Coordinates of all heavy atoms in Angstrom, one line a residue:
H1 N 0.8 -1.2 0.0 CA 0.0 0.0 0.0 C 0.8 1.3 0.0 O 0.3 2.4 -0.2 CB -1.0 0.0 1.2 CG -0.4 0.5 2.5 ND1 0.4 -0.2 3.3 CD2 -0.6 1.7 3.1 CE1 0.8 0.5 4.3 NE2 0.2 1.7 4.2
T2 N 2.2 1.2 0.2 CA 3.0 2.4 0.2 C 3.7 2.6 -1.1 O 3.9 3.8 -1.5 CB 4.2 2.2 1.2 OG1 3.8 1.3 2.2 CG2 4.4 3.5 1.9
C3 N 4.0 1.6 -1.9 CA 4.7 1.8 -3.2 C 3.8 2.4 -4.2 O 2.5 2.3 -4.1 CB 5.1 0.4 -3.7 SG 6.4 -0.4 -2.8
P4 N 4.3 3.1 -5.2 CA 3.5 3.6 -6.3 C 2.8 2.5 -7.0 O 3.4 1.4 -7.1 CB 4.5 4.3 -7.2 CG 5.7 4.5 -6.4 CD 5.8 3.5 -5.3
P5 N 1.6 2.7 -7.4 CA 0.8 1.6 -8.1 C 1.5 1.0 -9.3 O 1.3 -0.1 -9.6 CB -0.5 2.3 -8.5 CG -0.6 3.5 -7.6 CD 0.8 3.9 -7.3
R6 N 2.3 1.8 -10.0 CA 2.9 1.3 -11.3 C 3.9 0.2 -11.0 O 4.2 -0.7 -11.8 CB 3.6 2.4 -12.0 CG 4.7 3.1 -11.3 CD 5.2 4.3 -12.1 NE 6.1 5.1 -11.3 CZ 7.3 4.8 -11.0 NH1 7.9 3.7 -11.3 NH2 8.0 5.7 -10.3
L7 N 4.5 0.1 -9.7 CA 5.5 -0.9 -9.4 C 4.8 -2.2 -9.1 O 5.4 -3.3 -9.4 CB 6.3 -0.5 -8.2 CG 7.2 0.7 -8.4 CD1 7.9 1.1 -7.1 CD2 8.2 0.5 -9.5
K8 N 3.6 -2.2 -8.6 CA 2.8 -3.4 -8.3 C 3.6 -4.5 -7.5 O 3.6 -5.7 -7.8 CB 2.2 -4.0 -9.5 CG 1.3 -3.2 -10.2 CD 0.7 -3.8 -11.5 CE -0.3 -2.9 -12.2 NZ -0.7 -3.3 -13.5
R9 N 4.3 -4.0 -6.4 CA 5.0 -5.0 -5.6 C 4.1 -5.8 -4.7 O 3.2 -5.2 -4.1 CB 6.0 -4.2 -4.7 CG 7.2 -3.6 -5.5 CD 8.2 -3.1 -4.5 NE 9.3 -2.5 -5.2 CZ 9.9 -1.4 -4.9 NH1 9.4 -0.7 -3.9 NH2 10.9 -0.9 -5.6
K10 N 4.3 -7.1 -4.7 CA 3.4 -8.0 -4.0 C 4.2 -8.4 -2.7 O 5.4 -8.5 -2.7 CB 3.1 -9.3 -4.8 CG 2.3 -9.0 -6.1 CD 0.9 -8.6 -5.7 CE 0.1 -8.5 -7.0 NZ -1.2 -8.0 -6.8
T11 N 3.4 -8.6 -1.6 CA 4.0 -9.0 -0.3 C 3.0 -9.8 0.5 O 1.8 -9.7 0.3 CB 4.4 -7.7 0.4 OG1 5.0 -8.1 1.6 CG2 3.3 -6.8 0.7
R12 N 3.6 -10.6 1.4 CA 2.7 -11.3 2.4 C 2.9 -10.7 3.8 O 2.2 -11.1 4.7 CB 3.2 -12.8 2.5 CG 2.7 -13.6 1.3 CD 2.6 -15.0 1.7 NE 1.9 -15.8 0.6 CZ 2.6 -16.7 -0.1 NH1 3.8 -16.9 0.0 NH2 1.9 -17.3 -1.1
Y13 N 3.7 -9.6 3.9 CA 4.0 -9.0 5.2 C 3.1 -7.9 5.5 O 2.9 -7.0 4.7 CB 5.4 -8.5 5.3 CG 6.5 -9.6 5.1 CD1 7.1 -9.7 3.9 CD2 6.8 -10.5 6.1 CE1 8.1 -10.7 3.7 CE2 7.7 -11.5 6.0 CZ 8.4 -11.6 4.7 OH 9.3 -12.6 4.6
P14 N 2.4 -7.9 6.8 CA 1.6 -6.7 7.2 C 2.4 -5.8 8.0 O 3.4 -6.1 8.6 CB 0.5 -7.4 8.0 CG 1.2 -8.6 8.6 CD 2.3 -9.0 7.6
C15 N 2.0 -4.5 8.0 CA 2.6 -3.5 8.9 C 2.2 -3.8 10.3 O 1.0 -4.2 10.6 CB 2.1 -2.1 8.5 SG 2.6 -0.8 9.7
C16 N 3.1 -3.7 11.3 CA 2.8 -4.1 12.7 C 1.9 -3.1 13.3 O 1.3 -3.3 14.4 CB 4.0 -4.3 13.5 SG 5.0 -2.8 13.7
I17 N 1.7 -1.9 12.7 CA 0.8 -0.9 13.3 C -0.6 -0.8 12.7 O -1.6 -1.0 13.3 CB 1.4 0.6 13.2 CG1 2.8 0.6 13.8 CG2 0.5 1.6 13.8 CD1 2.8 0.4 15.3
C18 N -0.6 -0.6 11.3 CA -1.9 -0.5 10.6 C -2.4 -1.8 10.0 O -3.5 -1.8 9.5 CB -1.8 0.6 9.6 SG -0.7 0.2 8.3
N19 N -1.6 -2.8 10.0 CA -1.9 -4.2 9.5 C -2.2 -4.2 8.0 O -2.9 -5.0 7.5 CB -3.2 -4.7 10.2 CG -3.2 -6.2 10.2 OD1 -2.2 -6.9 10.1 ND2 -4.4 -6.8 10.3
K20 N -1.7 -3.2 7.3 CA -1.8 -3.1 5.8 C -0.6 -3.8 5.2 O 0.5 -3.8 5.8 CB -1.9 -1.7 5.3 CG -3.2 -1.0 5.8 CD -3.4 0.3 5.2 CE -4.7 0.9 5.6 NZ -4.9 2.3 5.3
P21 N -0.7 -4.3 3.9 CA 0.4 -5.0 3.3 C 1.5 -4.0 3.0 O 1.3 -2.9 2.5 CB -0.2 -5.6 2.0 CG -1.5 -4.9 1.8 CD -1.9 -4.4 3.1
I22 N 2.8 -4.5 3.3 CA 3.9 -3.6 3.1 C 5.1 -4.5 2.6 O 5.3 -5.5 3.2 CB 4.3 -2.8 4.4 CG1 5.4 -1.8 4.1 CG2 4.7 -3.7 5.5 CD1 5.5 -0.8 5.1
C23 N 5.7 -4.0 1.5 CA 6.9 -4.8 1.0 C 8.1 -4.5 1.8 O 8.2 -3.6 2.6 CB 7.1 -4.5 -0.5 SG 7.7 -2.8 -0.8
L24 N 9.2 -5.3 1.6 CA 10.4 -5.2 2.4 C 11.2 -3.9 2.0 O 12.0 -3.4 2.8 CB 11.2 -6.4 2.2 CG 10.6 -7.7 2.8 CD1 11.5 -8.9 2.6 CD2 10.4 -7.6 4.3
Q25 N 11.0 -3.4 0.8 CA 11.6 -2.1 0.4 C 11.0 -0.9 1.2 O 11.7 0.0 1.4 CB 11.5 -1.9 -1.1 CG 12.4 -2.6 -2.0 CD 11.9 -4.0 -2.3 OE1 10.8 -4.4 -1.9 NE2 12.7 -4.8 -3.1
C26 N 9.8 -1.0 1.6 CA 9.1 0.1 2.3 C 9.2 -0.1 3.8 O 8.9 0.8 4.5 CB 7.6 0.2 1.9 SG 7.4 0.6 0.1
A27 N 9.6 -1.2 4.3 CA 9.7 -1.5 5.7 C 11.0 -1.1 6.3 O 12.0 -1.0 5.6 CB 9.5 -3.0 5.9
K28 N 11.0 -0.8 7.6 CA 12.2 -0.5 8.3 C 12.6 -1.7 9.2 O 11.7 -2.3 9.8 CB 12.1 0.8 9.1 CG 12.0 2.0 8.3 CD 12.2 3.2 9.1 CE 12.4 4.4 8.2 NZ 12.6 5.7 9.0
K29 N 13.9 -2.0 9.3 CA 14.3 -3.1 10.2 C 14.1 -2.7 11.6 O 14.4 -1.6 12.1 CB 15.7 -3.5 9.9 CG 15.9 -4.0 8.5 CD 17.3 -4.3 8.2 CE 17.5 -4.8 6.8 NZ 18.9 -4.9 6.4
L30 N 13.6 -3.7 12.4 CA 13.4 -3.5 13.9 C 13.7 -4.8 14.6 O 13.2 -5.8 14.2 CB 11.9 -3.1 14.1 CG 11.5 -2.7 15.5 CD1 12.0 -1.3 15.8 CD2 9.9 -2.6 15.5
C31 N 14.6 -4.7 15.6 CA 15.0 -5.9 16.3 C 13.8 -6.3 17.2 O 13.0 -5.5 17.6 CB 16.3 -5.8 17.0 SG 16.2 -4.7 18.5
V32 N 13.9 -7.6 17.7 CA 12.8 -8.2 18.5 C 12.8 -7.4 19.8 O 11.7 -7.1 20.4 CB 13.1 -9.7 18.8 CG1 12.1 -10.3 19.7 CG2 13.1 -10.4 17.5
K33 N 13.9 -7.0 20.4 CA 13.9 -6.3 21.7 C 13.2 -4.9 21.6 O 12.4 -4.6 22.4 CB 15.4 -6.1 22.1 CG 15.5 -5.4 23.5 CD 17.0 -5.2 23.8 CE 17.2 -4.6 25.2 NZ 16.6 -3.2 25.2
C34 N 13.5 -4.2 20.5 CA 12.9 -2.9 20.3 C 11.4 -3.0 20.1 O 10.6 -2.2 20.6 CB 13.5 -2.1 19.1 SG 15.2 -1.7 19.4
K35 N 11.0 -4.1 19.3 CA 9.5 -4.3 19.1 C 8.8 -4.6 20.4 O 7.8 -4.1 20.7 CB 9.3 -5.4 18.1 CG 7.9 -5.6 17.7 CD 7.7 -6.6 16.6 CE 6.3 -6.7 16.2 NZ 5.3 -6.8 17.2
A36 N 9.5 -5.4 21.3 CA 9.0 -5.7 22.6 C 8.8 -4.5 23.5 O 7.9 -4.3 24.2 CB 9.8 -6.8 23.3
D37 N 9.9 -3.6 23.4 CA 9.8 -2.4 24.2 C 8.7 -1.5 23.7 O 8.0 -0.8 24.5 CB 11.2 -1.6 24.0 CG 12.3 -2.3 24.7 OD1 12.0 -3.2 25.6 OD2 13.5 -2.0 24.5
R38 N 8.5 -1.5 22.4 CA 7.4 -0.6 21.9 C 6.0 -1.2 22.2 O 5.1 -0.4 22.5 CB 7.5 -0.6 20.3 CG 6.5 0.4 19.7 CD 6.6 0.5 18.3 NE 5.5 1.3 17.7 CZ 5.6 2.4 17.0 NH1 6.8 2.8 16.7 NH2 4.5 3.0 16.6
D39 N 5.9 -2.5 22.2 CA 4.6 -3.2 22.6 C 4.4 -3.0 24.1 O 3.4 -2.8 24.6 CB 4.6 -4.6 22.2 CG 4.6 -4.8 20.7 OD1 4.3 -3.8 20.0 OD2 4.9 -5.9 20.2

């Protein structure tokens, strides 16, 4: 849902906040410890 429509990148990964599909190019890396701290 973040990439321009012309790229049509497919993914199986959801965003951990809004639960919308997001490809790995649009995602930011987050370690397990930081995710646990955020949760």
Side-chain angles (χ1 to χ4, degrees):
H1 86 283
T2 337
C3 292
R6 61 183 169 75
L7 294 178
K8 295 181 181 171
R9 288 192 181 132
K10 298 288 185 182
T11 182
R12 283 204 172 111
Y13 298 103
C15 171
C16 67
I17 303 295
C18 64
N19 206 27
K20 291 185 177 171
I22 187 164
C23 68
L24 295 178
Q25 281 85 359
C26 297
K28 287 195 174 182
K29 294 177 182 174
L30 185 72
C31 73
V32 177
K33 183 180 179 300
C34 292
K35 187 176 184 312
D37 291 343
R38 184 176 173 127
D39 293 342

